[in-house]
Amino acid sequence: MTTIVGVIGGGQLARMMIPAAVNLGIDLRVLAESEGMAAGLAAAGVGDYRDADTVLAFAETVDVITFDHEHVPQEILRALVNRGVRVHPGPDALLYAQDKLLMRQKLTDLGLPVPDWAAVSNSGELAAFLAEHDGRAVVKTPRGGYDGKGVRVVSGEHDVDDWFEALAGDDRGSALLVEELVDFRRELAQLVARRPSGEIVAWPLVETVQRGGVCAEVIAPAPGSAGRVADVAADIAMAVAEGIGVTGVLAVELFETTDERLLVNELAMRPHNSGHWSIDGSTTSQFEQHLRAVLDLPLGATGARELWSVMVNVLGGPAEGSMADRYPAAFDAHPTVKVHNYGKDPRPGRKIGHVTAGGDELETVVYEARATAAFFQD
Ligand code: ADP
């Protein structure tokens, strides 16, 4: 029997599930937001994921539902589950990827390390938090933020008055998340995958480099992280996956503080930018693993194939033409580097592809990856 996996959302994450599905003979169908999306080559249809009838009709054509993003409304997710549809990750888990306040509360309840935080509804409450934290903090909108949008460093109680005003008109919640401005050495990400029956595996801990709130580079494994840090990160991510009941791939974004603690920043319940290196650099890519997990199949080995893998995002793209126009020069100069093109039109700041280099010498691998990515953006 051929199993049909339905993916809601047609971005590059759905697109990169396609080769993994082809290799395993899994029929993958994508409900894309519009024509010409990155995963258009597997699109079963175009439709609005916020429309219950559209999503329920799509679900009838597949055996299991999974996601390219976390934005499908809770009431639609619950309607799917009530109809007996297999949904991975399920609504109870996805809730914590949809709402940063609920996520902070849940992680606190689970006893996991997070930055100091509070829910604030007005400038007076923000002032009180600032007074306790040396006058600086980070305020986040609980819902709808991505790539640093909805994150603001503040030093005055009126710095987010616009957000407080917007809250007044939003019936979904009436508070913002405020947290300490963490003094971190670097950002790390721990990727794990969990099956509905409970098996759970972890990839090597990676370092992520963000520029302007957007992931720019990933180094696998995180330099100098052998031993304790890696063990602590894996323990945290597994505790999150089990504590929240996540199925599929879970990315746990972490801060490594200057005093060598790990704090959880963000959760993503789907394949994640910090795991793109695994396509070329690990025995099992995060995309294949996600499919295995949502189908409750035994999970693949997660070891690295190379001592070092470095992934660099192609952000924005070439000023003229497409990524493919640059293939002759890039491939000629860097034959060992793997290039991934999401088929998206270049636009400032947009993630339109990535490259991954691997090898024994970290400096060389970083150079190879950066130099190759440079061919595709100017
Ligand atoms: P998004 O959901 O938009 O990715 P995040 O919560 O991951 O937002 O924050 C984006 C970036 O902002 C992080 O990668 C980090 O660099 C910075 N940041 C977020 N929270 C804090 C914090 N509490 N202290 C210091 N920097 C932070």
Side-chain angles (χ1 to χ4, degrees):
M1 192 196 76
T2 313
T3 309
I4 307 173
V5 175
V7 186
I8 298 182
Q12 64 262 24
L13 302 178
R15 179 187 177 98
M16 288 186 270
M17 290 179 206
I18 299 170
V22 170
N23 288 341
L24 293 174
I26 293 166
D27 190 349
L28 192 84
R29 298 191 193 164
V30 174
L31 179 66
E33 292 84 334
S34 58
E35 300 287 348
M37 296 280 295
L41 45 169
V46 167
D48 186 354
Y49 61 81
R50 292 161 303 187
D51 179 67
D53 292 339
T54 302
V55 175
L56 289 168
F58 174 66
E60 280 179 10
T61 67
V62 303
D63 296 305
V64 51
I65 290 273
T66 190
F67 308 93
D68 167 88
H69 58 72
E70 293 117 342
H71 308 313
V72 179
Q74 278 288 319
E75 53 278 15
I76 298 182
L77 296 170
R78 291 186 192 278
L80 287 170
V81 171
N82 289 341
R83 290 213 184 171
V85 178
R86 287 148 65 193
V87 180
H88 294 297
D92 291 341
L94 270 173
L95 189 58
Y96 302 109
Q98 294 177 327
D99 188 310
K100 291 181 184 183
L101 266 175
L102 294 179
M103 181 263 288
R104 281 278 175 269
Q105 184 62 56
K106 183 70 178 178
L107 295 179
T108 304
D109 293 346
L110 289 170
L112 293 167
V114 293
D116 264 352
W117 67 277
V120 288
S121 305
N122 54 55
S123 56
E125 289 173 7
L126 178 56
F129 189 91
L130 284 168
E132 286 168 13
H133 293 86
D134 296 330
R136 296 196 358 123
V138 178
V139 178
K140 301 182 179 182
T141 53
R143 290 170 174 264
Y146 66 96
D147 284 351
K149 297 176 181 64
V151 174
R152 206 179 280 173
V153 177
V154 300
S155 52
E157 63 192 84
H158 296 295
D159 286 359
V160 288
D161 279 355
D162 52 332
W163 286 354
F164 284 130
E165 275 165 34
L167 274 184
D170 187 343
D171 54 5
R172 289 177 308 182
S174 57
L176 299 173
L177 169 64
V178 60
E179 49 190 43
E180 68 176 293
L181 181 65
V182 176
D183 191 12
F184 59 81
R185 275 183 58 208
R186 57 179 180 170
E187 295 188 66
L188 303 169
Q190 177 65 61
L191 209 69
V192 298
R194 182 173 174 275
R195 289 167 68 180
S197 56
E199 186 194 0
I200 182 164
V201 294
W203 279 269
L205 178 67
V206 302
E207 176 174 347
T208 64
V209 181
Q210 324 281 326
R211 293 201 191 103
V214 180
C215 175
E217 297 183 5
V218 172
I219 304 171
S225 68
R228 199 191 73 86
V229 180
D231 289 347
V232 173
D235 285 350
I236 290 172
M238 290 192 180
V240 173
E242 278 164 7
I244 293 180
V246 181
T247 43
V249 167
L250 164 74
V252 179
E253 297 177 14
L254 298 154
F255 296 126
E256 184 178 24
T257 64
T258 43
D259 57 357
E260 297 194 351
R261 289 173 304 138
L262 293 183
L263 302 176
V264 178
N265 175 32
E266 262 275 76
L267 306 180
M269 295 177 198
R270 49 171 169 74
H272 187 249
N273 203 164
S274 66
H276 290 356
W277 71 276
S278 65
I279 302 173
D280 303 301
S282 170
T283 304
T284 310
S285 84
Q286 61 168 346
F287 299 100
E288 175 179 341
Q289 199 81 291
H290 189 71
L291 294 175
R292 289 187 188 219
V294 303
L295 292 169
D296 206 11
L297 292 166
L299 301 175
T302 49
R305 291 196 189 148
E306 305 266 12
L307 272 183
W308 298 103
S309 293
V310 173
M311 190 275 338
V312 175
N313 276 333
V314 178
L315 294 171
E320 272 176 35
S322 68
M323 264 183 84
D325 295 337
R326 309 288 174 93
Y327 284 169
F331 291 177
D332 192 41
H334 300 283
T336 62
V337 179
K338 308 309 289 183
V339 174
H340 298 258
N341 179 342
Y342 307 155
K344 293 160 72 169
D345 291 333
R347 198 186 295 159
R350 194 179 200 198
K351 290 179 189 169
I352 66 161
H354 74 265
V355 307
T356 305
D360 291 347
E361 292 280 341
L362 180 56
E363 269 185 34
T364 312
V365 180
V366 169
Y367 167 76
E368 283 283 321
R370 286 184 186 165
T372 308
F375 275 90
F376 301 113
Q377 46 199 5
D378 44 26

